[in-house]
Amino acid sequence: MSETGQPLSSNVPGARFPRLESGRLVFRFHAPDAKSVRLPAPGDSLGTEPVEFARDADGFWTGAIDAPGPGFHYYRLQIDGLLVNDPGSQAFSGYGLAASGVEIPEPGNTEAEFRDVPHGDVRSRWYHSTVTGDWRQLLIYTPPGYDAASSRRYPALYLQHGSGEDETSWSRQGRAGVILDNLLAASAAEPMLIVMGSGYPAPPAEPGTPPSPERIQQVIDGFGDVLLRDVVPLVDGLYRTKADRDNRALAGLSMGGRQALAVGLRSLEQFAWLGGLSPAVWVDGTAGRGWTVGPDWVQESLKASGEFRPRHVFLTAGSLETQFVTAIEDLAGMFTEVGIEHTSYVSPGTSHEWLTWRRSLVRLAPLLFR
Amino acid sequence: MSETGQPLSSNVPGARFPRLESGRLVFRFHAPDAKSVRLPAPGDSLGTEPVEFARDADGFWTGAIDAPGPGFHYYRLQIDGLLVNDPGSQAFSGYGLAASGVEIPEPGNTEAEFRDVPHGDVRSRWYHSTVTGDWRQLLIYTPPGYDAASSRRYPALYLQHGSGEDETSWSRQGRAGVILDNLLAASAAEPMLIVMGSGYPAPPAEPGTPPSPERIQQVIDGFGDVLLRDVVPLVDGLYRTKADRDNRALAGLSMGGRQALAVGLRSLEQFAWLGGLSPAVWVDGTAGRGWTVGPDWVQESLKASGEFRPRHVFLTAGSLETQFVTAIEDLAGMFTEVGIEHTSYVSPGTSHEWLTWRRSLVRLAPLLFR
């Protein structure tokens, strides 16, 4: 079969499919015994109606959908009703498992693309948690020049993933290090560390099980315990940080946005800068049992922080995820009411997806530590 | 259903299966529309005959096999004839794709286990290859104390993965950093960097396609070009290495063992220490078209290195992979013939698998740079 177009950068090395061909995303794989193949699977976010694939005489199945928008999207193949990974794709932590994904380039936009600029390292560091008793991984972005500037100290952004993801998600799906490399090359942000740890203080619920309100509260509070008792002291001990509130930011996406705001607002002696990207914070009645808060949530949360106030709060959502746009509008109102400086950004034409959060990081990082 | 035993550390967070129960490895997952499930799939190395799983009324399939030996093993589920990932497992680069895997603990042996000792970082560094024209990832282990000892310089071990794997394999499946942390805590090795890059100078062949002899030669030669023109200069420029042959080692497993020996023997002005772990180097007629060499291979390869000779060559295989035991016996004979010091190690009771290579690293690292 003749092939045009390009394999995706999210493919495993050597996999020719999935590939982009003239605005279509083409999938192909070998499954000689399968009876039917559909994509996208239910719940996936590729943005089109399911398409039935066709089988050729050699047992290869081929199908194409209109390419989704730029950025990263999780997906699975549906083969004879079973949701499975595409053998051509790398695996990415999402959906609470190791899922397939497609990386769709955005013509003309290289914010999150590798460029010929100085690059930082993303370090993997394992540690034994005094809170949970297990071994946990942190990923730490150190900016270009960190090794050579052997006495310089840096501020740190603590950046949290969403539900069903893990500490690798911001680096791989979010391309956080690449985004910072590019911002720093343009002198558009202060050189900083980015610390990415797991948002789960205990194993998450089985995929597909909606968590109870009690469990949600445990995930928020337990995350705070791990962050404050394990992660921040470890990072300040191992890396050359400026170890004070003015030089620490805490932000996250979705579940992680709720965690960042909830833990940050009551720990302002530790963090002066906060960010909620598509944060799961809904004012009474809007949505999401367990994630719902009262109209005085910000004011109430501040009480634990005494006289400390955030220097800036950054709120973002995608324009198509209207529930989250409402959430940040409600939050913006609450921050205004207590006189806290804040900025909102709505990513045009994006939903609850990584392009929203990449764009948010591009706009959040330049505001920090200035 | 009642559950005893332990989920595996190779599971995704929260997944209760696969789990070890009294010497059995129990699998369970939801596939209500499936007609039949078998494990292991053909070609997998879990070491037992395939077992048919049983379906319960809720659409969950459960099955158990005798637990394989300790260490890491790739696997896939076979559902209605289709080879798929286990949703409970993390994904690991193997088989040329993102495969499922099980990590089986070895009672009483903590060589490759996290312990309460100082830990190094494993850094991810992306670079643009002048040889291949694409962006590539290196993983670099820096030992405990590297950051604090800001003027100390270190030797470096370049360590290559096998066929179908990638630059993450030695760190994740091989636990190279954990092994070094433990050796260093016991003062059993010199503090060193470990540099882990891709062994594929061009995309690998499609999984299942046996490479031609020409392609094998390209993979060996192209790897050498990337290593010598890109990787070594980059590492010497970015990290505090001792940048000379006496402080550089080159080793690899299987395909990577062949690459390390072939490239190392002709580049001895760059590398004084070589290691072949289950190396794909067979003397005429033994096996493997394309991987076969003549009885003077070592002598011939040395010619390009002029007067330089290896300070030590380390050869290993698992006792159950007899073809590779023969390979290292033949190699040992060739090294003896040319008067090059070498050590052989045969891992008892292991095959072409990660426990062989972890044990090999435990024994290789202490010999280096002394």
Side-chain angles (χ1 to χ4, degrees):
Chain A
M1 120 177 229
S2 80
E3 289 166 19
T4 57
Q6 283 293 331
L8 304 183
S9 64
S10 44
N11 292 3
V12 293
R16 294 173 297 135
F17 294 87
R19 60 198 293 127
L20 266 178
E21 295 186 13
S22 317
R24 303 273 286 171
L25 194 51
V26 185
F27 300 85
R28 186 166 192 253
F29 56 90
H30 196 236
D33 297 333
K35 302 288 176 292
S36 83
V37 174
R38 306 185 80 187
L39 188 140
D44 281 356
S45 56
L46 292 180
T48 64
E49 291 298 302
V51 168
E52 297 285 342
F53 283 30
R55 183 190 188 285
D56 73 12
D58 296 325
F60 283 92
W61 292 79
T62 307
I65 60 172
D66 286 340
F72 178 90
H73 309 273
Y74 299 108
Y75 74 103
R76 292 162 297 175
L77 303 173
Q78 189 177 16
I79 303 184
D80 297 346
L82 188 73
L83 301 180
V84 300
N85 282 12
D86 185 338
S89 173
Q90 296 175 49
F92 300 87
S93 61
Y95 299 151
L97 43 73
S100 295
V102 289
E103 174 70 38
I104 309 292
E106 188 175 11
N109 186 347
T110 60
E111 284 170 351
E113 298 295 318
F114 288 118
R115 291 189 218 150
D116 184 18
V117 299
H119 295 284
D121 285 349
V122 177
R123 303 174 178 212
S124 161
R125 155 71 57 160
W126 286 83
Y127 72 97
H128 191 259
S129 169
T130 62
V131 175
T132 63
D134 59 357
W135 285 91
R136 309 189 135 233
Q137 184 180 218
L138 290 178
L139 295 188
I140 301 115
Y141 168 80
T142 54
Y146 178 90
D147 284 298
S150 62
S151 62
R152 178 171 177 176
R153 305 189 80 85
Y154 294 81
L157 163 62
Y158 292 77
L159 191 57
Q160 293 302 127
H161 60 80
S163 172
E165 299 176 332
D166 71 11
E167 67 272 16
T168 67
S169 304
W170 260 111
S171 187
R172 296 187 69 218
Q173 292 94 296
R175 304 178 73 84
V178 183
I179 287 171
L180 259 285
D181 287 342
N182 290 335
L183 288 172
L184 293 173
S187 300
E190 289 291 314
M192 67 182 78
L193 306 189
I194 303 180
V195 181
M196 297 160 278
S198 170
Y200 288 105
E206 292 275 297
T209 320
S212 66
E214 294 70 29
R215 190 177 175 93
I216 290 171
Q217 199 57 47
Q218 284 168 359
V219 167
I220 295 168
D221 295 342
F223 160 72
D225 287 345
V226 173
L227 179 71
L228 295 169
R229 289 166 56 192
D230 285 335
V231 177
V232 170
L234 184 85
V235 168
D236 285 339
L238 286 170
Y239 303 99
R240 298 194 314 276
T241 55
K242 294 179 179 170
D244 59 48
R245 71 183 296 271
D246 284 333
N247 289 289
R248 277 197 212 101
L250 177 56
L253 72 90
S254 195
M255 175 184 93
R258 170 62 172 270
Q259 291 173 311
L261 292 176
V263 172
L265 285 171
R266 68 189 188 215
S267 312
L268 290 170
E269 77 288 357
Q270 297 289 335
F271 301 96
W273 312 82
L274 301 180
L277 320 184
S278 311
V281 183
W282 290 294
V283 176
D284 266 353
T286 321
R289 75 185 188 117
W291 300 106
T292 302
V293 300
D296 295 325
W297 183 69
V298 166
Q299 201 163 1
E300 293 295 319
S301 302
L302 284 170
K303 284 182 181 161
S305 283
E307 296 304 300
F308 290 107
R309 289 292 174 270
R311 293 194 38 194
H312 201 92
V313 178
F314 188 67
L315 302 168
T316 80
S319 69
L320 304 181
E321 47 169 355
T322 53
Q323 198 177 65
F324 290 91
V325 173
T326 302
I328 66 167
E329 286 170 353
D330 290 346
L331 279 165
M334 289 192 270
F335 283 113
T336 299
E337 209 159 291
V338 294
I340 289 175
E341 188 182 290
H342 56 90
T343 305
S344 293
Y345 164 71
V346 176
S347 161
T350 64
S351 184
H352 206 62
E353 61 175 297
W354 276 101
L355 187 57
T356 301
W357 307 317
R358 290 180 186 177
R359 287 176 174 172
S360 299
L361 179 59
V362 168
R363 285 151 184 87
L364 164 64
L367 298 178
L368 300 175
F369 315 125
R370 292 247 158 148
Chain B
M1 118 176 229
S2 79
E3 288 165 22
T4 57
Q6 284 292 331
L8 304 183
S9 65
S10 44
N11 292 4
V12 294
R16 295 174 297 134
F17 295 86
R19 60 196 295 130
L20 266 178
E21 295 186 13
S22 315
R24 303 273 286 171
L25 193 52
V26 186
F27 300 85
R28 185 168 193 251
F29 56 89
H30 197 235
D33 297 332
K35 302 287 175 293
S36 84
V37 174
R38 308 185 79 187
L39 189 138
D44 282 356
S45 54
L46 292 179
T48 65
E49 291 298 302
V51 169
E52 298 284 342
F53 284 31
R55 183 192 189 284
D56 74 11
D58 297 324
F60 282 90
W61 292 79
T62 307
I65 61 173
D66 287 339
F72 177 90
H73 309 273
Y74 299 108
Y75 75 105
R76 293 161 297 175
L77 303 173
Q78 188 176 18
I79 303 184
D80 297 346
L82 188 71
L83 301 180
V84 300
N85 282 12
D86 185 338
S89 172
Q90 296 176 48
F92 300 86
S93 61
Y95 299 150
L97 43 73
S100 295
V102 289
E103 174 69 38
I104 309 293
E106 187 174 10
N109 185 348
T110 61
E111 285 171 348
E113 297 294 318
F114 287 118
R115 292 190 216 150
D116 184 19
V117 299
H119 294 284
D121 286 347
V122 178
R123 304 173 177 212
S124 160
R125 156 70 56 157
W126 287 82
Y127 72 96
H128 191 260
S129 169
T130 62
V131 174
T132 64
D134 59 357
W135 285 90
R136 308 188 137 234
Q137 184 180 218
L138 291 177
L139 295 188
I140 301 116
Y141 167 80
T142 54
Y146 179 90
D147 284 298
S150 61
S151 62
R152 178 170 177 178
R153 306 189 78 87
Y154 294 81
L157 164 62
Y158 292 78
L159 191 57
Q160 292 303 126
H161 61 80
S163 172
E165 300 176 332
D166 71 12
E167 67 273 17
T168 68
S169 304
W170 258 111
S171 187
R172 296 187 67 217
Q173 292 94 296
R175 306 178 72 86
V178 182
I179 287 171
L180 259 285
D181 287 344
N182 291 334
L183 288 172
L184 293 173
S187 300
E190 288 292 313
M192 66 183 79
L193 306 190
I194 303 179
V195 181
M196 297 160 277
S198 170
Y200 287 105
E206 294 275 297
T209 320
S212 66
E214 294 70 28
R215 191 177 176 93
I216 290 171
Q217 200 55 47
Q218 283 167 2
V219 167
I220 295 168
D221 295 341
F223 160 74
D225 287 344
V226 172
L227 178 71
L228 295 169
R229 290 167 56 191
D230 286 335
V231 176
V232 170
L234 185 85
V235 168
D236 284 338
L238 287 170
Y239 303 99
R240 297 193 316 274
T241 54
K242 294 179 179 169
D244 58 48
R245 71 183 296 271
D246 283 333
N247 290 288
R248 279 197 211 102
L250 176 57
L253 72 90
S254 195
M255 175 184 92
R258 170 61 173 269
Q259 290 174 311
L261 293 176
V263 172
L265 286 172
R266 68 188 188 216
S267 312
L268 290 170
E269 77 287 358
Q270 297 290 335
F271 302 96
W273 311 82
L274 301 181
L277 320 183
S278 309
V281 182
W282 289 294
V283 175
D284 266 352
T286 321
R289 67 179 195 125
W291 299 106
T292 303
V293 299
D296 296 326
W297 183 71
V298 166
Q299 200 162 1
E300 293 294 319
S301 303
L302 284 170
K303 284 183 182 161
S305 284
E307 295 305 301
F308 290 107
R309 288 293 174 270
R311 293 194 39 193
H312 201 93
V313 178
F314 188 67
L315 301 167
T316 82
S319 70
L320 304 181
E321 48 169 356
T322 51
Q323 197 176 65
F324 290 91
V325 173
T326 302
I328 66 168
E329 286 170 353
D330 290 344
L331 278 165
M334 288 192 269
F335 283 113
T336 299
E337 207 158 297
V338 293
I340 289 174
E341 186 182 291
H342 56 90
T343 304
S344 292
Y345 164 71
V346 176
S347 161
T350 63
S351 184
H352 206 62
E353 60 175 297
W354 275 100
L355 188 57
T356 302
W357 306 317
R358 290 180 186 175
R359 288 176 174 172
S360 298
L361 180 59
V362 168
R363 285 151 183 87
L364 165 65
L367 298 178
L368 300 175
F369 315 125
R370 293 245 159 149

